[in-house]
Amino acid sequence: MALNAKSIYDSEFSFFVLLPNFAPPLAGSVDYAISSAWMIRGALLLGTILFVSDSAQSSRWLLRLWYVIGLVGGSIALLGLLQKATGAQMIFWEPAAPPEFGVTTFFATYFYHGNAGAFLNLVWPLSAGLVIRAFTRASHPGMRALWVTIFILTVAGVLANTSRMAQFVALLLMVVIGLHFGPALLRKLSGGQKSVVVAGALAITLALIALAQATHLEQPLNRWQSVGERIPTDARWQASRVALGALSGAGLLGSGPGTFRVVFPAYNIRSGHPVPGTWRFLHEDYLQTVLEWGWLGSSLWGFLFFGGLAVGIQSYNRYARRDWMPRRRMLQPLASLALAGVALHALIDFPFQIESIQLYVATYLGLCWGSSLWYQQSGLPRHSSEVAIIEHS
């Protein structure tokens, strides 16, 4: 689609300039520049999946990767909280945007609060895992304090963020993580340790309340109070209806990778009920993917994502108890939960279109796809037929 592009879009004049292509009868992208850039990024993301899948076979590098994700997530959350606490009008190093631009919901390095919330929901579950790991094994007190602090920052970042969907996903993830790890954690702790955990939970709650007061938590609370008024009139639903009407024209290969922002205006005008504004992304990742990549391309992306998620869950259920090291047993379900959370968020936002979130999703997919080989680390046979061969040899 990119190499056989039929045109390139001139944004200044809103005009498609025709290009000579090597196979005119075949499908081609409507914008050579955008699709070529997307294909380079896509190749790098696929390489990231392979790289992480291979490097995670080493338990040492797996733990290092886990640490890096926790530290980076905590630093992004800290930046966003500092912006909230200081009443910043824009990202610290960016000039203040004119009022007509409507950039009022930025957080940390993200202009759009929904993307910031999706990123934090990718990293805080792994931070929670580092806290659990620190308190269920012999760890230095400094390490425990570090991971607890990072966990508080990332969770507080989600609470201070004004994205309702991000907060809803975070609540679901917290419930599932508590149900999955809570009983086993309580069984491992002695009576005195349980008292310490309860006291720590109370301290974390108080710290979150203090951070909430310092970072103007009343802003997301006000958005929740007006949810009944805003949702029915939200323009994203109108844009999604326009995209649904355009699905019939998506075809097998779509309009080309990354071309939504140049083809949506035409769909919008022909819809009969055009939605106002300029739409670079559709607030529904799955519909946008079908429009850009067609039914074939979106099916392949769906297989890569949901197939990796399925492989990770299957590997965990089959091999975790018998073959995996404790760090693998804890990290892999957390990565799978984080992926499920961002997949849910993509129903009403566009996290899969943001490069930094794509990088983390690719990293977690590498963990999921690579987890099918983790059984080899223990040297135990995988199938009953292998057991029979060993017994007869």
Side-chain angles (χ1 to χ4, degrees), residues 43 77 132 189 249 268 272 347:
I132 296 172
L189 298 177
N268 194 22
L347 287 171

Side-chain angles (χ1 to χ4, degrees), residues 72-73 76-77 110 114-124 356-357 360:
V72 173
I76 296 296
Y110 294 88
N115 297 329
F119 171 81
L120 292 174
N121 281 334
L122 278 172
V123 297
W124 79 254
S356 58
I357 297 177
Y360 277 73

Side-chain angles (χ1 to χ4, degrees), residues 172-254:
L172 288 181
L173 293 177
M174 199 165 294
V175 170
V176 175
I177 291 173
L179 292 175
H180 182 79
F181 290 101
L185 179 62
L186 291 175
R187 284 195 300 268
K188 288 182 179 181
L189 298 177
S190 63
Q193 289 175 324
K194 290 179 181 179
S195 301
V196 173
V197 169
V198 171
L202 291 174
I204 290 174
T205 303
L206 293 174
L208 288 174
I209 293 173
L211 279 173
Q213 292 179 344
T215 55
H216 304 287
L217 188 61
E218 71 277 1
Q219 295 176 359
L221 290 177
N222 291 335
R223 284 179 60 84
W224 276 108
Q225 292 174 356
S226 61
V227 65
E229 302 173 1
R230 291 173 179 263
I231 287 183
T233 59
D234 198 320
R236 75 183 70 190
W237 312 127
Q238 303 174 42
S240 295
R241 282 194 291 268
V242 173
L244 279 172
L247 281 183
S248 59
L252 195 63
L253 297 174

Side-chain angles (χ1 to χ4, degrees), residues 357-377:
I357 297 177
Q358 289 172 346
L359 176 62
Y360 277 73
V361 168
T363 299
Y364 292 6
L365 285 176
L367 295 175
C368 288
W369 282 106
S371 65
S372 61
L373 301 176
W374 287 353
Y375 73 95
Q376 296 177 346
Q377 304 300 318

Side-chain angles (χ1 to χ4, degrees), residues 56-69:
Q57 302 305 312
S58 165
S59 60
R60 177 181 299 178
W61 280 103
L62 181 72
L63 186 60
R64 290 173 177 173
L65 177 64
W66 194 359
Y67 285 168
V68 168
I69 291 173

Side-chain angles (χ1 to χ4, degrees), residues 51-389:
F51 174 78
V52 173
S53 178
D54 181 67
S55 61
Q57 302 305 312
S58 165
S59 60
R60 177 181 299 178
W61 280 103
L62 181 72
L63 186 60
R64 290 173 177 173
L65 177 64
W66 194 359
Y67 285 168
V68 168
I69 291 173
L71 291 171
V72 173
S75 67
I76 296 296
L78 177 60
L79 174 61
L81 292 172
L82 288 174
Q83 290 171 345
K84 289 283 187 178
T86 57
Q89 299 300 310
M90 190 57 182
I91 299 172
F92 281 152
W93 52 83
E94 294 281 348
E100 60 270 18
F101 279 34
V103 183
T104 58
T105 58
F106 66 93
F107 186 88
T109 57
Y110 294 88
F111 287 98
Y112 178 53
H113 59 172
N115 297 329
F119 171 81
L120 292 174
N121 281 334
L122 278 172
V123 297
W124 79 254
L126 272 66
S127 300
L130 289 169
V131 173
I132 296 172
R133 184 175 184 272
F135 281 92
T136 53
R137 60 191 298 274
S139 299
H140 192 276
M143 292 295 290
R144 292 181 177 180
L146 172 65
W147 298 128
V148 168
T149 301
I150 288 177
F151 172 70
I152 291 174
L153 289 174
T154 50
V155 173
V158 177
L159 295 177
N161 192 285
T162 54
S163 171
R164 292 182 294 257
M165 187 61 181
Q167 293 167 356
F168 174 71
V169 171
L171 178 62
L172 288 181
L173 293 177
M174 199 165 294
V175 170
V176 175
I177 291 173
L179 292 175
H180 182 79
F181 290 101
L185 179 62
L186 291 175
R187 284 195 300 268
K188 288 182 179 181
L189 298 177
S190 63
Q193 289 175 324
K194 290 179 181 179
S195 301
V196 173
V197 169
V198 171
L202 291 174
I204 290 174
T205 303
L206 293 174
L208 288 174
I209 293 173
L211 279 173
Q213 292 179 344
T215 55
H216 304 287
L217 188 61
E218 71 277 1
Q219 295 176 359
L221 290 177
N222 291 335
R223 284 179 60 84
W224 276 108
Q225 292 174 356
S226 61
V227 65
E229 302 173 1
R230 291 173 179 263
I231 287 183
T233 59
D234 198 320
R236 75 183 70 190
W237 312 127
Q238 303 174 42
S240 295
R241 282 194 291 268
V242 173
L244 279 172
L247 281 183
S248 59
L252 195 63
L253 297 174
S255 61
T259 57
F260 171 81
R261 66 176 180 264
V262 302
V263 299
F264 184 75
Y267 294 140
N268 194 22
I269 293 173
R270 292 199 300 264
S271 67
H273 299 283
V275 57
T278 302
W279 294 79
R280 185 176 182 184
F281 303 109
L282 185 68
H283 284 254
E284 218 289 6
D285 262 331
Y286 303 104
L287 282 177
Q288 179 172 338
T289 302
V290 175
L291 291 177
E292 292 181 349
W293 294 83
W295 295 105
L296 176 61
S298 57
S299 298
L300 293 175
W301 280 118
F303 172 77
L304 180 67
F305 182 88
F306 293 104
L309 194 56
V311 166
I313 294 172
Q314 183 184 34
S315 300
Y316 178 80
N317 291 333
R318 180 176 293 183
Y319 308 118
R321 292 182 181 274
R322 184 187 65 180
D323 298 345
W324 288 1
M325 298 176 63
R327 65 186 61 171
R328 299 185 188 275
R329 286 199 299 269
M330 184 168 295
L331 175 59
Q332 202 281 329
L334 292 172
S336 297
L337 283 172
L339 287 175
V342 76
L344 179 61
H345 197 145
L347 287 171
I348 66 167
D349 267 326
F350 48 92
F352 289 141
Q353 310 301 325
I354 306 304
E355 289 88 342
S356 58
I357 297 177
Q358 289 172 346
L359 176 62
Y360 277 73
V361 168
T363 299
Y364 292 6
L365 285 176
L367 295 175
C368 288
W369 282 106
S371 65
S372 61
L373 301 176
W374 287 353
Y375 73 95
Q376 296 177 346
Q377 304 300 318
S378 65
L380 296 177
R382 181 174 182 178
H383 300 295
S384 57
S385 59
E386 297 175 357
V387 176
I389 292 174

